[in-house]
Amino acid sequence: MFSDYTQKAIEVAKEAGKILRQGFGSTFTITNKEGKNNLVTDYDHRSEEFIIESLSKAFPETIFLAEESGLSSQWKNDIPIWIIDPLDGTVNFAHNLPIFSVSIALSQNKEIFTGVIYNPILDELFVSEKGHGAFLNGVKLKVSTSQRLEESFLVTGFPYNIDSNPGYCIDQFIQMLKMGIPVRRLGSAALDLAYVAAGSFDGFWEINLNPWDVAAGFLLIQEAGGKVTKYNGDPYWITDNNILATNGLIHDELSQTLISCYLEITNGI
Ligand code: IPD
Ligand code: CA
Ligand code: CA
């Protein structure tokens, strides 16, 4: 049985998903936040307002970090904080592509206790609670068993400012393709992580994500037996600038490939 927090997060994520499902394919306003393709729609706001209102009514002691409204008050480690992406995959949603999700996590003292990701189009509900496992529609999740990078199925994403600040992500992507590895780019980091937890993908990497993109998925992967670190293998926290999440078995090989690509470029080899 999940905690009251997790149960409420499930209820709220499903309701927010209903709002997005109703909006999907309809006419709505799309605006640019910053940069040319960082979009926001009416539905990002509607979903977020609904989530924050519902959770703050149920748990007045909690605070919020949500993509569209930011921090509700100062982030102090010991205060439970909901970390929310009300619509992860806005560019897909805005172009009527049915790959997006709602992501809700609860954190305290630099740990995630609840992670819920809901895909409203496929009605996929991913739930994890610290120490209680990870589940997809009630079925326990386990990461994949692929042992070698060259036999893996991977997913990644690119930052909105990739044209002006690509980091090494284009080169890393090309490197994987050169190795013959199938790599997908779904456009919802929360779903990318959820599908690693579910064993569909063997690994995921991305730079410049925000806490709301990754907080719920971070817990899901850990609870499904996977591994999450920075690219170089160092311990990861959701405010870090790069994330590497795998089934654990291909982790070192993928980490080395990402880092060696970086070294080759910086050393001009
Ligand atoms: C984006 C998605 C995408 C990732 C971007 C994120 P948004 O979130 O997760 O997969 O590549 O970096 O910003 O803007 O759709 O909530
Ligand atoms: Ca996002
Ligand atoms: Ca979003």
Side-chain angles (χ1 to χ4, degrees):
M1 190 61 167
F2 293 125
S3 67
D4 290 351
Y5 288 122
T6 304
Q7 287 185 48
K8 191 70 185 175
I10 292 170
E11 185 192 312
V12 169
K14 289 188 82 168
E15 275 305 307
K18 204 190 273 179
I19 295 172
L20 299 183
R21 204 161 47 228
Q22 282 162 358
F24 182 64
S26 70
T27 308
F28 45 78
T29 312
I30 306 171
T31 37
N32 259 305
K33 281 203 277 199
E34 60 209 37
K36 38 181 190 241
N37 283 312
N38 193 351
L39 309 178
V40 63
T41 72
D42 298 344
Y43 282 92
D44 296 71
H45 293 294
R46 281 194 211 182
S47 171
E48 182 161 313
E49 280 158 23
F50 170 79
I51 295 168
I52 293 181
E53 198 187 311
S54 311
L55 291 174
S56 59
K57 212 178 271 172
F59 308 110
E61 74 281 14
T62 58
I63 62 168
F64 295 86
L65 171 63
E67 178 166 13
E68 309 309 334
S69 54
L71 268 172
S72 64
S73 54
Q74 206 194 340
W75 190 349
K76 291 191 184 132
N77 273 343
D78 55 334
I79 300 177
I81 181 166
W82 294 102
I83 302 173
I84 297 159
D85 194 331
L87 169 44
D88 187 49
T90 298
V91 175
N92 289 346
F93 184 90
H95 290 86
N96 296 337
L97 186 70
I99 305 172
F100 52 87
S101 60
V102 175
S103 179
I104 301 178
L106 181 68
S107 173
Q108 190 177 21
N109 291 323
K110 275 202 150 191
E111 283 192 278
I112 311 288
F113 288 95
T114 294
V116 176
I117 295 170
Y118 183 54
N119 173 351
I121 298 297
L122 294 180
D123 194 26
E124 291 176 319
L125 177 72
F126 297 89
V127 178
S128 55
E129 187 172 280
K130 195 166 180 60
H132 290 89
F135 302 84
L136 167 54
N137 294 343
V139 177
K140 200 164 196 317
L141 294 180
K142 187 92 198 72
V143 290
S144 70
T145 54
S146 305
Q147 309 246 6
R148 297 173 55 207
L149 183 58
E150 62 179 26
E151 289 161 2
S152 294
F153 184 41
L154 304 177
V155 64
T156 188
F158 306 107
Y160 284 116
N161 63 348
I162 188 165
D163 50 350
S164 57
N165 179 24
Y168 299 93
C169 59
I170 296 173
D171 310 278
Q172 288 163 330
F173 182 62
I174 290 171
Q175 177 59 29
M176 301 303 163
L177 298 181
K178 279 184 176 166
M179 291 168 76
I181 299 168
V183 187
R184 299 291 180 264
R185 196 282 197 246
L186 299 186
S188 166
L191 281 182
D192 296 341
L193 289 162
Y195 292 139
V196 173
S200 305
F201 291 118
D202 305 302
F204 165 76
W205 79 96
E206 188 163 345
I207 52 165
N208 291 356
L209 289 171
N210 287 294
W212 46 82
D213 300 310
V214 289
F218 179 33
L219 181 63
L220 266 163
I221 292 185
Q222 290 173 294
E223 288 294 325
K227 186 169 177 179
V228 185
T229 66
K230 297 203 257 186
Y231 285 0
N232 64 4
D234 282 354
Y236 173 78
W237 178 238
I238 56 171
T239 47
D240 285 326
N241 147 280
N242 62 83
I243 179 169
L244 170 60
T246 71
N247 65 1
L249 302 169
I250 62 156
H251 204 89
D252 291 350
E253 224 187 323
L254 184 48
S255 162
Q256 278 158 21
T257 309
L258 293 171
I259 296 296
S260 66
C261 190
Y262 164 87
L263 289 176
E264 270 179 36
I265 293 155
T266 47
N267 295 335
I269 304 167

